[in-house]
Amino acid sequence: MKIAVAGTGYVGLVTGVCLAEHGHNVTCVDIDDSKVDLMKAGVSPIFEPDLEELMIKNLDGLYFTTDYKTAYKDADVIFIGVGTPEKKDGSANLSYVYGVAEQIAESIEKDCVVVVKSTVPIGTNDKIEAMIKSNLSHNVNVYVASNPEFLAQGTAVRDTLHPSRIVIGVEEPIAGEVLKEVYKDFDAPIVITNRKSAEMIKYASNDFLALKISFINEIANLCEIIGADIEDVAHGMGYDSRIGNRFLNAGIGYGGSCFPKDTKALHWLANFHDNELKTIKAAIDVNENQKLKLVKKSRKYFDNFKGLNVAVLGLTFKPGTDDLREAPSLLNIPIMLEDGANIKAWDPVGVDNFKKIYPHEITYCNTIEDTLKAADVCFIFTEWDEVKNFDITKYNKLMRTPIVLDGRNCYDLASVKKANITYDSIGRETLYILEASPV
Ligand code: UGA
């Protein structure tokens, strides 16, 4: 099928590349010339495992352009995958989505299905359809379908090629039939609903996962107080298939471009309708506090950070991505800098983006060892494999005072006990150094 995709961020580009992999003829549209040139040369503008390889493999059926008119005019299906960033009041900014809808209306010259993949507030698909229909330049039929995506950054290609489900929200059966054809080679259950239910499935899924994380974080905080161990608790809970063992990792809260935005957007929508989603509100509040958990813990060891050498391991909101959006590092590092800390930081892929915000205030290191040298305290914000597989005996050898505050529970306590460090993690017993060794 001839497919156009608007937007080449995580959603748009990964969708386009995976549809090309399934034999469709795909044109990806972006407003940024330099990005388009990069992609034409087979270079992915975003860091995402396997994406570039798949792009290069499919360059024969994959085109990139800023010329939306040509891309849209004879497409069978147009996917909208542009961003819906959070506005200051917590609602979703839909200006990019509506901008694309206007371009589609002025460009299409044959019947087509417009598929909304961007996460949009419930009811937006109806507005998009009305907007396109009232601005059409040619006498054609257009059907709008909601087809939310469930990919996670870091596993986006795998999640898209092997989705847990394909949700299609339509008002006319013909649009559903066209989308079934688009996805005919994907091995996943197809759920057909009306458009508003599909829009809600996306929000409810993300908000449920955010709630699950905030729940386990609250239990973790209580475990610390009463002397239980959150890893054991989550392990024991996870065997119950009604609960499931995923997304029960306690830590310093969820970040990224989705959970923070989508929880606030649904909460905002409920408020707008004179309603309150109390569970979602609680998930948001718990998360805001949890992100500062390590800095609060550090007060046990220091009154403030003035003159302290602080080692930071991990800057991104999770491993497998260079994305810093809503990353705990962004909330914690300014607090330490304001106090007068000397910060050395390590991250395998997030440094370039972090440098755009803090070009000179931080020393960026290429190795974990360099980061730890002569440090008074170490903060672990991201559970990169390099951190999890790091020889923990080196903390004691390299740091001036080996105090490790681990926001992602990277190490099991039995191994830490042998490493002779002070180790404070989430929802578990704090282990204290027996004797300091000279640096
Ligand atoms: C999330 C969802 O997982 C995807 O299904 C969804 O499609 C996507 O949002 C989206 O709406 O586009 P993503 O934000 O990429 O994907 O990342 P996740 O792997 O879900 O992690 C989100 C945050 O939760 C991270 O900060 C992670 O560290 C945290 N998390 C995750 C925990 O603290 N504990 C866990 O057990 C799991």
Side-chain angles (χ1 to χ4, degrees):
M1 284 180 128
K2 197 164 184 319
I3 293 176
V5 181
T8 58
Y10 279 97
V11 176
L13 183 57
V14 175
T15 301
V17 170
C18 291
L19 289 173
E21 168 73 4
H22 273 285
H24 296 294
N25 174 307
V26 180
T27 303
C28 296
V29 180
D30 203 285
I31 50 169
D32 185 335
D33 275 314
S34 54
K35 247 175 113 177
V36 165
D37 287 343
L38 268 183
M39 294 184 287
K40 276 182 180 164
V43 179
S44 166
I46 52 171
F47 174 82
E48 189 59 43
D50 304 327
L51 182 60
E52 205 164 84
E53 290 82 345
L54 209 63
M55 265 174 88
I56 293 167
K57 181 179 166 212
N58 287 289
L59 276 181
D60 277 355
L62 194 53
Y63 307 91
F64 299 97
T65 183
T66 51
D67 176 8
Y68 64 83
K69 269 197 177 156
T70 310
Y72 298 158
K73 71 175 183 187
D74 57 351
D76 300 306
V77 179
I78 304 172
F79 282 86
I80 301 181
V82 292
T84 54
E86 184 186 320
K87 290 206 283 194
K88 282 203 166 60
D89 64 0
S91 65
N93 177 352
L94 295 173
S95 56
Y96 304 110
V97 171
Y98 290 143
V100 171
E102 278 170 13
Q103 291 174 341
I104 291 173
E106 79 179 69
S107 309
I108 51 176
E109 295 180 11
K110 64 175 238 195
D111 293 359
C112 87
V113 177
V114 173
V115 186
V116 181
K117 267 218 166 281
S118 306
T119 302
V120 292
I122 292 119
T124 306
N125 275 261
D126 293 354
K127 289 187 192 149
I128 292 172
E129 184 166 274
M131 185 181 258
I132 296 177
K133 283 187 169 161
S134 60
N135 287 294
L136 282 173
S137 302
H138 292 81
N139 186 18
V140 295
N141 294 309
V142 58
Y143 308 95
V144 170
S146 166
N147 173 220
E149 57 77 29
F150 302 100
L151 63 82
Q153 287 175 231
T155 53
V157 170
R158 192 181 68 208
D159 295 343
T160 307
L161 289 176
H162 308 285
S164 51
R165 73 287 206 196
I166 293 167
V167 173
I168 297 173
V170 289
E171 298 302 317
E172 302 90 355
I174 183 173
E177 292 310 313
V178 171
L179 274 171
K180 275 192 196 162
E181 181 63 22
V182 168
Y183 287 116
K184 72 176 182 340
D185 293 332
F186 286 70
D187 182 22
I190 291 190
V191 181
I192 304 248
T193 68
N194 68 21
R195 281 199 299 236
K196 284 188 175 141
S197 303
E199 292 169 322
M200 182 56 109
I201 288 170
K202 171 67 189 182
Y203 276 106
S205 300
N206 270 4
D207 288 19
F208 185 81
L209 292 172
L211 187 57
K212 198 171 178 187
I213 296 167
S214 277
F215 174 82
I216 204 70
N217 283 338
E218 277 212 299
I219 298 293
N221 296 343
L222 189 58
C223 283
E224 278 181 29
I225 296 166
I226 60 159
D229 182 302
I230 193 60
E231 305 282 305
D232 291 344
V233 172
H235 183 67
M237 289 168 67
Y239 281 108
D240 187 330
S241 60
R242 294 169 303 175
I243 297 171
N245 59 8
R246 300 183 62 196
F247 277 68
L248 284 181
N249 297 320
I252 40 167
Y254 56 77
S257 62
C258 308
F259 292 168
K261 166 173 79 72
D262 294 347
T263 42
K264 285 182 210 153
L266 203 59
H267 185 251
W268 182 92
L269 184 77
N271 276 349
F272 183 76
H273 291 286
D274 286 331
N275 208 302
E276 185 169 30
L277 293 176
K278 293 190 172 62
T279 50
I280 304 302
K281 174 80 171 61
I284 296 169
D285 291 345
V286 169
N287 199 56
E288 294 300 312
N289 277 324
Q290 199 69 14
K291 279 181 160 182
L292 291 170
K293 178 100 181 152
L294 288 191
V295 163
K296 284 183 193 148
K297 273 177 182 283
S298 73
R299 303 290 179 216
K300 281 199 270 178
Y301 309 99
F302 314 101
D303 290 337
N304 62 60
F305 292 100
K306 191 167 172 35
L308 285 188
N309 293 339
V310 176
V312 170
L313 302 183
L315 298 168
T316 57
F317 83 92
K318 69 170 190 176
T321 175
D322 62 354
D323 200 329
L324 298 174
R325 283 177 285 182
E326 303 278 343
S329 62
L330 283 178
L331 202 63
N332 287 281
I333 285 179
I335 296 173
M336 303 175 194
L337 284 175
E338 197 176 41
D339 260 11
N342 310 311
I343 301 183
K344 287 206 271 179
W346 171 91
D347 190 287
V349 296
V351 166
D352 285 349
N353 284 340
F354 216 79
K355 272 187 186 163
K356 290 178 196 156
I357 310 165
Y358 293 106
H360 310 299
E361 302 82 342
I362 293 172
T363 306
Y364 297 97
C365 299
N366 291 327
T367 64
I368 298 179
E369 282 86 349
D370 280 350
T371 322
L372 295 177
K373 261 179 213 155
D376 296 299
V377 58
C378 169
F379 285 82
I380 301 176
F381 291 134
T382 321
E383 68 278 33
W384 286 102
D385 280 344
E386 291 89 331
V387 177
K388 291 200 286 187
N389 299 328
F390 186 66
D391 173 1
I392 45 177
T393 62
K394 288 189 179 173
Y395 285 103
N396 183 306
K397 289 179 191 142
L398 294 165
M399 294 174 72
R400 189 153 66 189
T401 44
I403 300 173
V404 179
L405 303 175
D406 181 358
R408 298 295 179 190
N409 291 357
C410 289
Y411 307 114
D412 71 85
L413 294 183
S415 350
V416 175
K417 274 180 187 152
K418 295 181 202 144
N420 195 27
I421 58 177
T422 292
Y423 181 73
D424 212 334
S425 53
I426 307 291
R428 305 189 293 179
E429 179 194 359
T430 301
L431 302 177
Y432 293 95
I433 187 171
L434 298 174
E435 57 183 54
S437 53
V439 177

